[in-house]
Every structure is written in C-alpha cells, then in structure tokens.
Amino acid sequence: MKVTVCRKEHFNAAHRLHNAGWSDEKNQTVFGKCNNPNFHGHNYELIVKVSGHPDPETGYVMDMKILSNVISENVLDRFDHKNLNLDTDEFKDLMPTAENIAVVIWNILREKISKQLELKVILYETERNFVEYPAD
Amino acid sequence: MKVTVCRKEHFNAAHRLHNAGWSDEKNQTVFGKCNNPNFHGHNYELIVKVSGHPDPETGYVMDMKILSNVISENVLDRFDHKNLNLDTDEFKDLMPTAENIAVVIWNILREKISKQLELKVILYETERNFVEYPAD
Amino acid sequence: MKVTVCRKEHFNAAHRLHNAGWSDEKNQTVFGKCNNPNFHGHNYELIVKVSGHPDPETGYVMDMKILSNVISENVLDRFDHKNLNLDTDEFKDLMPTAENIAVVIWNILREKISKQLELKVILYETERNFVEYPAD
Amino acid sequence: MKVTVCRKEHFNAAHRLHNAGWSDEKNQTVFGKCNNPNFHGHNYELIVKVSGHPDPETGYVMDMKILSNVISENVLDRFDHKNLNLDTDEFKDLMPTAENIAVVIWNILREKISKQLELKVILYETERNFVEYPAD
Amino acid sequence: MKVTVCRKEHFNAAHRLHNAGWSDEKNQTVFGKCNNPNFHGHNYELIVKVSGHPDPETGYVMDMKILSNVISENVLDRFDHKNLNLDTDEFKDLMPTAENIAVVIWNILREKISKQLELKVILYETERNFVEYPAD
Amino acid sequence: MKVTVCRKEHFNAAHRLHNAGWSDEKNQTVFGKCNNPNFHGHNYELIVKVSGHPDPETGYVMDMKILSNVISENVLDRFDHKNLNLDTDEFKDLMPTAENIAVVIWNILREKISKQLELKVILYETERNFVEYPAD
C-alpha cells in the first residue's frame, strides 16, 4: 500500500475576479465584492500531497525538505506577494479563482515531481473556503 | 479532472444519546455521560465538499457564497441553537450521533445541490471527534 | 520576574440564557436564539493561567499535570456533559453567560491553588467568542 | 474585578508598503516584497477585546452579537475586499502596516463603544505575524 | 453508503534518522539536522479513521470512546514520551520517519479493530509535515 | 500608546527532566514519563512579542522580517533539532522545563533587541501546555 506525504506552505497575493467578456453590471452581480477594480487579497495556505512507496533506505516517499524546496522555487517565488492578475502569466487570461489557482499549481508541480508519485493539491483561500485538485 | 470546493460553517446545538428501547442501565452503560437526561451540547463545525468541473466563464465549480447560503438556509436555520432531540423532526426517532447528523445533513443538501456535482460532508463534534459521509 | 504556566482543557455543556424576572418577549429580544427553552450547547475550551516563580529544584511554577488534575476534579467533573441551568448549583440563579462561567470557574480554582500564585481564566464559548477573567 | 469579552472577525484586503518620500531603491531595500507596485494581500483576522463589569440582569459585559455588529458596520464594511492604499481615506497618507491598521481600527471602534469599557485590538496579518494595540 | 469516524490523539517522542549501513557523511547529507546523534523530538498528532455502517441501535460506526481507548492502550502507551530508536522494538531496525511510523501504527491498530471496518491513519510530525496511510 | 508586534516561530528538540541531586525514585515520582532516560521531544512553538512606538516613516515598531531573523540566528540555530540536555550549554545545569526555556530565550533575545522596546516570550510545549515570560 502507498503512503502519502503532505507539506504545507503559504503565500500572500492580491487578485480580482473579473470576466472581460461581460458588462460591469454582470461582473458585479456574479462576483460581488471580489470584483473590486483595485483588487483585494488573501493568505493562501497550500498543502501538496505526494503518494508513493517509501524508499527502504531512507524511509521517505519523498524528502519533505526537497518537496518544500520544489514548492518554494516553482510556486512561492512565482506567486508570493504578487498581484495574480497583473504580475503573472498564468492568470492573464484565466480567472484567478481558488479552483483555477489549484489547477495551475498542480500543473506546475506535476512537471517537477517524479511521475511515479501521485500528486494532489489543497488550497485554502480563507479558513472557511478551500479547494482540492484533483477531486477524490 | 474534477475540482472539489469546500465551505466550512458551524452551528451550536444540544443533544442526548438515549435508546428508548433500552433500560436506563443499558443506556448509561453504552452512552455514559452522553446519556445525561438534561442534555449537553456542542459547537458543530461542518465542512461541505462539492466536486465538479469549473465553469470556464466564472472559474467556479460552485460559487462558495451560494454554497454558504444553501447551507445556512437548509442546515443552520434548522439546527443552530436547537435541541436536536426535542426541536427537530429529523432526530425524533433517530439517535443524534455525529454519524447520523452527518447523514441527515448530506440528505438535506443532496436535494438542494445540482446532481452533476458530487457531495461530501465532514462534521466535527469536537476538535478530536469527527465524521465523514460518505466514506472515501 | 514571574513566569505564567497555562493549561488548556475542555468540556461540553448545554445551557440557556433566560432571566426569570423578565417577560418571554423581553427574553427573546435580548437573548435571541440563546433563549431557546430546550437549551443549546457548546464545546467550552478553558485555559487556566497560573503565575509565580519557578521552583529551582523542579523548574516548575506549578506542575502542569497537577494543574490539569486540579481542573479535572474541580471544573470538568462538575460541568462536563451537564446542563448548566438544570444540573449545577452554581447557575441555578446566575445567568450562564461565558462571563459568569469564567468568574465561577476562577472562584472554584482560587480555593484550590496556592495563594502565592496568581490566577487567570480564559474561556472560549466558540472559536469567535471568548472571555478572560480577571481583565488585564 | 473586570471581565474581558473578545470577538473574532476577519476581512480580506490588498495593500502595498511604500513611502512616497523615499527613492524606489530605498523602498525596495526597506519593504522588499511588500513594496510590489501592483499590491499583494492578506486575510486579516481581527480580535476585539472589551473589558468591564457584567450587567447583573444579562450576565453580559457587552452582548457579543452587538459587538459583532459594531465591528461589521464600522470596520468590515469599510475595509473588507478593499485595496487599503487606494480605496480608503485612512491609508491615503498612512502606511498600511499591521501596526497602523490596528491603531486605525482602535480609533474607529473607540468612538462606537461605551467609554466605560476598555478596548483592545489584536490583528493577525498572517498566522505568524500579528500586532496588539494598545500594548499591555 | 459508509460513514467514517475519526479520532485525534497525540504523543510526544524523540527520534533520530540514521542509516547504519551508510557513512556518517552520507547520513549527514541525506538527513541533515534530523541525523543529530543526540536525537530531537516532536509532538505527534495522530488521526485514526474507521469506516463502516452505523449500528442502528447506537448510531455508532464505532464508539469513539472505545476507539480512543484502543489507541491509548496500543499506540500511546507504547510510544508516548519514548525515544523511538532506543525504547521501542518497532524502530530498532526501521527508520522512524513519519511514513514508517504511520505504517507501524496502522499495522498495530489493524489487529485490534474489527476487520469489517476500514482503517486509515494520518500522522502530523509538525503542523507543516504530515503523512497518510494508506494513500487514497 | 504603544503597539506590540508578535512573531511566531518554531523548533523541535529532545529533552529530559531529571534532577541529578535526587534519587531515581524521587525523579520518577516527580517527573513521571518526562524523566525517561532516553529523552522524549516536542515541537516548540515560540511567540516573541516586542512593544514600542511605530516609526512614522516605516509604520513599523520593528520590521517582523528582522525580528524573524534575530530569532532564527539566536534561538532556532541554537536549539532546533537539538537535545537540550546534551547539546546546549544553557541546560547543562538547568532543568529544561518550558518555564526555564522561556526565561533562557528571553535573556538571549533581550541582548539582541533595542532596549527601548519591551520584550515578552510565549512558548508552547504542546498545544495544551504553554508558558509566558514575564508574567503580565
């Protein structure tokens, strides 16, 4: 049976939910306060889960220090203290909802973590709102 | 792949565990302090998880404000600050254990949330005791 | 300078806020859902703080295992899984608000802990509502 | 002896630390990532503490529902989902550090809460960075 | 559909990561600070999840008091306040990584809990590093 | 009025409570499981509080990044992943109770932080046991 190792990191970012193909009125109706033109922000808590078989010599599925470094270099350096709409390529044309941010992070990390390991991402936008990708 | 969005809410309620078909002695043996005839209570923390594909126009699987409202109107208004045994129809003849409360909440919400979305409920009775329905 | 040692415990209880000298209407106006005649309940998180000089031989201000036992025997055994209004002497004629529960617990513990040690109580009624006694 | 009642609320906002009287280079040196011109953001957790004597008729120092409403109307409605630098009068010419935000919130609430009650504000900018005003 | 009941417990222990088949230099390179010859330690938070059908008479999948006792007698009494490398049989020849500790605990509990119930273990080594066994 | 800024850090360490001037029996009676000769360990959560007047140019009482670095260099580098009894000078002849560890950390930091700023330390040994120095 496989074991899952999980590492929690965080980053802070600003964002705005706005669909450029819609009227201002429709944006306001659908996104409410999240549509504020001057942005708002969050402390994002990110949990990355990696599943596989522990190495008999180390007892590790994946060294969590290495996992932490992979997340820092590929996710935190890219998004921490950034405006997701203005400062990143990923959300130039993609709505920076928690759902989409989680998918983007999963796609970034999938390239950096051994294909023999399964990958899952949990992203807390607030303590009461969070998403998981992929769904169980 | 699907994304899961999760919303955390809470309610406070009183309850008592008592099987009317048993002797007082057996109730006391099985349920211990939870059998106190004058009730005790909990702060219930409820996490509702909804899984599906994000809408390309909004980036939402389901708008968490709407999900929050659905939970408030259908679960919190019904159970918050209530005595589960005396003030609700659902637990007139059903033991209000965390297991059964979670199943009842899932059944209530299943009627209110699009059938294209999968649904799961997690209910914390205390910080150390919690249940999930359905099991993975 | 003195050191403060703090011990966190918890208990679950039912209660109702109701002033018998008032009309039902006034009780409902002032206490709202907390006035429900069939009670509701909470997971109370209790932090007891004791301040003094560490003993040079043990390094302890007060052994936290002993502090934990004092709280269990004098507070938890009395209030855990109880209906504060119906099952206790302390709240027969005293409103079981978080404020009054904290004062009652402080008075109980003050008798059981060395007078050379200062005492403070913090009581969480919910994660978002809590009280401290005495105030700083 | 007085009792303190505490209410926890939260809001999300964007901000930027930038001293207009300094060069860009000095701003970057002092504020680092917090100087990002396109802003970043936080989930601010706010604890408001009010100290006084419980009313004998209600057992309340101050009804926490009323306290919650005062905070919502005067603080959350003003700052939630806002850009503190661009969308508020308070931080037009004042650095929106956690320290200054706490002082601003205290000054706003001091006008709205009875002068017979003492007031203190705790503001979490992240789980690891928080401020208290006034200091003990 | 099945329900999962979850019980959270904790224990404190010392450990060291060291592969006796490797040079000191390789151990230091791979395990870093975790290789300190005099040990370091953790507060381990353990969540045990048990899935099955609630008993119609009790409303319980498994009484959480009984589950708590099973964990205490079989896991906490064995590992709490122990040096995992020196004081236990399980880790005499097995690296006490979080992954391996979780597998060992699962194997211990699997013998003590009805085979009709599914079992899963989550182990927090720190707030930011945790493992799950078996993986979903 | 002064503002307090607070920074939370953590370290993991092993320790043992043992008074060399006592018999083994008395050590066992007083310290119980904490007297285990092979040590046990904890995740220590450390909150450092610094009080003073915000600088008008930065809005900072003390830059929390600098405060974090001061704690890392002077406390974490010294105690993280160490055996407090064997690997440190501070606890060679001083019982490594939470009380004494907090006093030692306060004394270390007091030398490194401006005398115009007041200093307080909170140390969590477990989620349920913590100490504050100096007491309020």
Side-chain angles (χ1 to χ4, degrees):
Chain A
M1 283 192 291
K2 290 183 177 179
V3 182
T4 302
V5 299
C6 312
R7 176 69 192 172
K8 187 179 176 189
E9 302 283 351
H10 71 275
F11 60 97
N12 310 313
H15 78 153
R16 179 200 188 191
L17 301 186
H18 182 81
N19 184 327
W22 291 353
S23 68
D24 284 357
E25 194 176 30
K26 181 164 181 186
N27 271 295
Q28 182 58 36
T29 303
V30 173
F31 295 121
K33 292 187 295 185
C34 299
N35 185 238
N36 176 18
N38 287 324
F39 311 99
H40 65 284
H42 294 291
N43 303 335
Y44 290 95
E45 293 284 342
L46 171 67
I47 296 172
V48 177
K49 297 182 162 196
V50 172
S51 301
H53 295 284
D55 179 303
E57 290 214 308
T58 61
Y60 286 155
V61 168
M62 179 178 179
D63 184 337
M64 290 197 237
K65 290 187 302 293
I66 294 175
L67 178 56
S68 174
N69 289 341
V70 170
I71 302 168
S72 289
E73 289 164 19
N74 294 284
V75 178
L76 307 190
D77 287 356
R78 198 181 303 217
F79 296 140
D80 187 32
H81 282 72
K82 295 290 172 61
N83 182 310
L84 297 179
N85 304 64
L86 301 183
D87 295 331
T88 75
D89 292 334
E90 289 79 3
F91 299 102
K92 281 279 184 293
D93 301 306
L94 181 68
M95 202 73 72
T97 57
E99 289 91 325
N100 284 340
I101 301 172
V103 173
V104 162
I105 290 173
W106 189 91
N107 285 329
I108 291 170
L109 292 175
R110 186 62 288 177
E111 296 298 309
K112 303 294 179 183
I113 289 171
S114 164
K115 289 299 177 295
Q116 297 181 316
L117 300 171
E118 292 168 45
L119 179 65
K120 183 170 180 173
V121 159
I122 301 177
L123 184 72
Y124 284 75
E125 192 175 77
T126 70
E127 195 190 1
R128 298 196 170 274
N129 288 351
F130 59 102
V131 300
E132 303 179 350
Y133 179 75
D136 285 331
Chain B
M1 283 193 290
K2 290 183 178 179
V3 182
T4 303
V5 299
C6 311
R7 175 71 192 170
K8 188 179 176 190
E9 302 283 350
H10 71 275
F11 60 95
N12 310 311
H15 77 153
R16 178 200 189 190
L17 301 185
H18 183 81
N19 184 327
W22 291 353
S23 67
D24 284 357
E25 194 177 31
K26 181 164 180 185
N27 270 294
Q28 183 57 36
T29 303
V30 173
F31 294 120
K33 291 187 296 183
C34 299
N35 185 238
N36 177 17
N38 287 325
F39 311 98
H40 65 284
H42 295 291
N43 303 335
Y44 290 95
E45 294 283 343
L46 172 67
I47 296 172
V48 176
K49 298 183 162 195
V50 172
S51 301
H53 294 285
D55 179 303
E57 291 213 308
T58 60
Y60 287 155
V61 169
M62 178 177 181
D63 184 337
M64 289 198 237
K65 291 186 300 295
I66 295 175
L67 178 55
S68 174
N69 289 342
V70 170
I71 302 168
S72 289
E73 289 165 18
N74 294 284
V75 178
L76 307 190
D77 287 357
R78 200 181 300 218
F79 297 140
D80 187 32
H81 281 74
K82 295 290 172 60
N83 183 309
L84 297 178
N85 303 65
L86 300 182
D87 295 331
T88 76
D89 292 334
E90 288 79 5
F91 300 102
K92 281 279 184 295
D93 301 305
L94 180 68
M95 202 73 71
T97 56
E99 290 91 325
N100 283 341
I101 301 171
V103 173
V104 162
I105 290 173
W106 189 92
N107 285 329
I108 291 170
L109 292 175
R110 186 62 287 177
E111 296 299 311
K112 303 294 178 183
I113 289 171
S114 163
K115 289 299 178 295
Q116 296 179 317
L117 301 171
E118 291 168 45
L119 178 66
K120 183 170 179 172
V121 159
I122 302 178
L123 183 73
Y124 283 76
E125 192 174 78
T126 70
E127 194 191 2
R128 298 196 172 274
N129 288 352
F130 59 102
V131 301
E132 304 179 349
Y133 180 75
D136 284 331
Chain C
M1 284 192 290
K2 291 182 177 179
V3 181
T4 302
V5 299
C6 312
R7 176 70 192 170
K8 187 179 176 189
E9 302 283 350
H10 71 276
F11 61 96
N12 310 312
H15 77 154
R16 177 201 189 190
L17 301 186
H18 182 80
N19 184 328
W22 291 353
S23 68
D24 284 357
E25 195 177 32
K26 180 164 181 185
N27 271 295
Q28 183 57 36
T29 303
V30 173
F31 295 121
K33 291 187 298 184
C34 299
N35 185 238
N36 176 18
N38 287 327
F39 310 100
H40 65 284
H42 295 290
N43 303 335
Y44 290 96
E45 293 284 341
L46 172 67
I47 296 173
V48 177
K49 297 183 161 196
V50 172
S51 301
H53 295 284
D55 178 305
E57 291 212 309
T58 61
Y60 286 155
V61 167
M62 179 176 179
D63 184 338
M64 289 198 238
K65 292 187 299 296
I66 294 174
L67 178 56
S68 175
N69 289 341
V70 169
I71 301 168
S72 289
E73 289 165 18
N74 294 284
V75 177
L76 307 190
D77 287 355
R78 200 182 302 217
F79 297 139
D80 187 34
H81 282 72
K82 295 291 171 62
N83 183 308
L84 297 178
N85 303 65
L86 301 181
D87 295 331
T88 75
D89 292 334
E90 289 79 3
F91 299 102
K92 281 278 184 296
D93 301 306
L94 180 69
M95 201 74 71
T97 57
E99 290 92 323
N100 283 341
I101 301 171
V103 173
V104 162
I105 290 173
W106 189 92
N107 285 329
I108 291 169
L109 292 175
R110 186 63 285 179
E111 296 298 310
K112 303 294 179 182
I113 289 172
S114 163
K115 289 298 177 297
Q116 296 180 319
L117 300 171
E118 291 168 45
L119 178 65
K120 183 169 177 172
V121 160
I122 301 178
L123 184 73
Y124 284 76
E125 192 174 77
T126 71
E127 195 191 0
R128 297 195 173 274
N129 288 351
F130 58 102
V131 300
E132 303 178 350
Y133 180 75
D136 284 332
Chain D
M1 284 193 290
K2 290 181 176 179
V3 181
T4 301
V5 299
C6 312
R7 176 69 192 171
K8 188 179 176 188
E9 302 283 351
H10 72 275
F11 61 96
N12 310 312
H15 78 152
R16 178 200 189 191
L17 301 186
H18 182 79
N19 184 327
W22 291 351
S23 68
D24 284 357
E25 195 177 30
K26 180 164 181 185
N27 270 296
Q28 183 57 37
T29 304
V30 172
F31 294 121
K33 292 187 295 184
C34 298
N35 185 238
N36 176 19
N38 286 325
F39 311 99
H40 64 285
H42 294 291
N43 303 336
Y44 291 95
E45 293 283 342
L46 172 67
I47 296 172
V48 176
K49 297 183 162 195
V50 172
S51 301
H53 295 285
D55 178 303
E57 291 214 308
T58 60
Y60 286 156
V61 168
M62 179 177 178
D63 182 337
M64 289 197 238
K65 292 187 301 293
I66 294 176
L67 178 55
S68 175
N69 289 342
V70 169
I71 301 168
S72 289
E73 289 165 19
N74 293 283
V75 178
L76 307 191
D77 286 356
R78 199 180 303 216
F79 296 140
D80 186 32
H81 282 71
K82 295 291 171 61
N83 183 309
L84 297 178
N85 303 65
L86 300 182
D87 295 331
T88 75
D89 293 333
E90 290 78 5
F91 299 102
K92 282 278 183 295
D93 301 305
L94 180 69
M95 201 74 72
T97 56
E99 290 91 323
N100 283 341
I101 302 171
V103 173
V104 162
I105 290 173
W106 190 91
N107 285 329
I108 291 170
L109 292 175
R110 186 64 286 177
E111 296 298 311
K112 303 295 179 182
I113 289 172
S114 164
K115 290 298 177 296
Q116 296 180 316
L117 300 171
E118 292 167 43
L119 179 65
K120 183 171 179 172
V121 159
I122 301 178
L123 184 73
Y124 283 77
E125 192 175 76
T126 71
E127 195 190 1
R128 298 196 171 274
N129 287 352
F130 59 102
V131 300
E132 304 178 349
Y133 180 74
D136 285 331
Chain E
M1 284 193 290
K2 290 183 178 180
V3 182
T4 303
V5 300
C6 312
R7 176 69 193 172
K8 187 178 176 190
E9 302 283 350
H10 71 274
F11 60 96
N12 310 312
H15 79 153
R16 178 199 189 192
L17 301 186
H18 182 80
N19 184 328
W22 291 353
S23 68
D24 285 357
E25 195 177 31
K26 180 164 182 185
N27 270 295
Q28 182 57 36
T29 303
V30 173
F31 294 121
K33 291 187 297 184
C34 299
N35 185 239
N36 176 19
N38 287 325
F39 312 98
H40 64 284
H42 294 292
N43 304 335
Y44 290 96
E45 294 284 342
L46 172 67
I47 296 173
V48 177
K49 297 182 162 196
V50 172
S51 301
H53 295 284
D55 179 303
E57 291 214 308
T58 61
Y60 287 155
V61 168
M62 179 178 180
D63 183 338
M64 289 197 238
K65 292 186 300 294
I66 294 175
L67 178 55
S68 174
N69 289 342
V70 170
I71 302 168
S72 289
E73 289 165 18
N74 294 284
V75 178
L76 307 191
D77 286 356
R78 200 182 303 217
F79 296 140
D80 186 34
H81 281 73
K82 295 290 171 62
N83 183 307
L84 298 177
N85 303 65
L86 301 182
D87 295 331
T88 75
D89 291 335
E90 289 79 3
F91 300 101
K92 281 280 184 296
D93 302 306
L94 180 68
M95 202 73 72
T97 56
E99 290 92 324
N100 284 340
I101 301 171
V103 173
V104 162
I105 290 173
W106 189 91
N107 286 329
I108 291 170
L109 292 175
R110 188 61 287 177
E111 296 299 310
K112 303 294 178 183
I113 289 172
S114 163
K115 288 300 177 295
Q116 296 180 318
L117 300 171
E118 291 167 45
L119 178 65
K120 182 170 179 172
V121 159
I122 301 178
L123 184 72
Y124 283 75
E125 192 174 76
T126 70
E127 194 191 0
R128 298 195 172 274
N129 288 352
F130 59 102
V131 302
E132 303 179 349
Y133 180 75
D136 285 332
Chain F
M1 283 193 288
K2 291 182 177 179
V3 181
T4 302
V5 299
C6 312
R7 176 70 193 171
K8 187 179 177 189
E9 303 283 351
H10 70 275
F11 60 95
N12 310 311
H15 77 155
R16 177 200 190 192
L17 301 186
H18 183 79
N19 184 327
W22 290 353
S23 68
D24 284 357
E25 194 177 31
K26 181 164 181 186
N27 271 294
Q28 184 56 39
T29 303
V30 172
F31 294 120
K33 291 187 297 184
C34 298
N35 185 239
N36 176 17
N38 287 325
F39 311 100
H40 64 285
H42 295 290
N43 302 336
Y44 290 95
E45 294 284 342
L46 171 66
I47 297 173
V48 177
K49 298 184 161 194
V50 172
S51 302
H53 295 285
D55 178 303
E57 291 214 309
T58 61
Y60 286 155
V61 168
M62 179 177 180
D63 183 338
M64 290 198 236
K65 291 187 299 295
I66 294 175
L67 177 55
S68 175
N69 289 342
V70 169
I71 302 168
S72 289
E73 289 165 19
N74 294 284
V75 177
L76 307 190
D77 287 355
R78 199 181 301 217
F79 296 139
D80 187 32
H81 281 72
K82 295 291 171 60
N83 182 310
L84 297 179
N85 303 66
L86 300 182
D87 295 332
T88 75
D89 292 333
E90 289 78 5
F91 300 102
K92 281 280 185 294
D93 301 305
L94 180 69
M95 201 74 71
T97 56
E99 290 91 325
N100 283 340
I101 300 171
V103 173
V104 162
I105 290 174
W106 188 92
N107 285 328
I108 290 169
L109 291 175
R110 186 62 285 179
E111 296 298 310
K112 303 294 179 183
I113 288 172
S114 163
K115 290 297 177 296
Q116 296 179 316
L117 300 170
E118 292 167 45
L119 178 65
K120 183 170 178 171
V121 159
I122 302 177
L123 184 73
Y124 283 77
E125 192 174 77
T126 72
E127 195 191 0
R128 298 196 171 273
N129 288 351
F130 59 102
V131 301
E132 304 179 349
Y133 179 75
D136 284 331

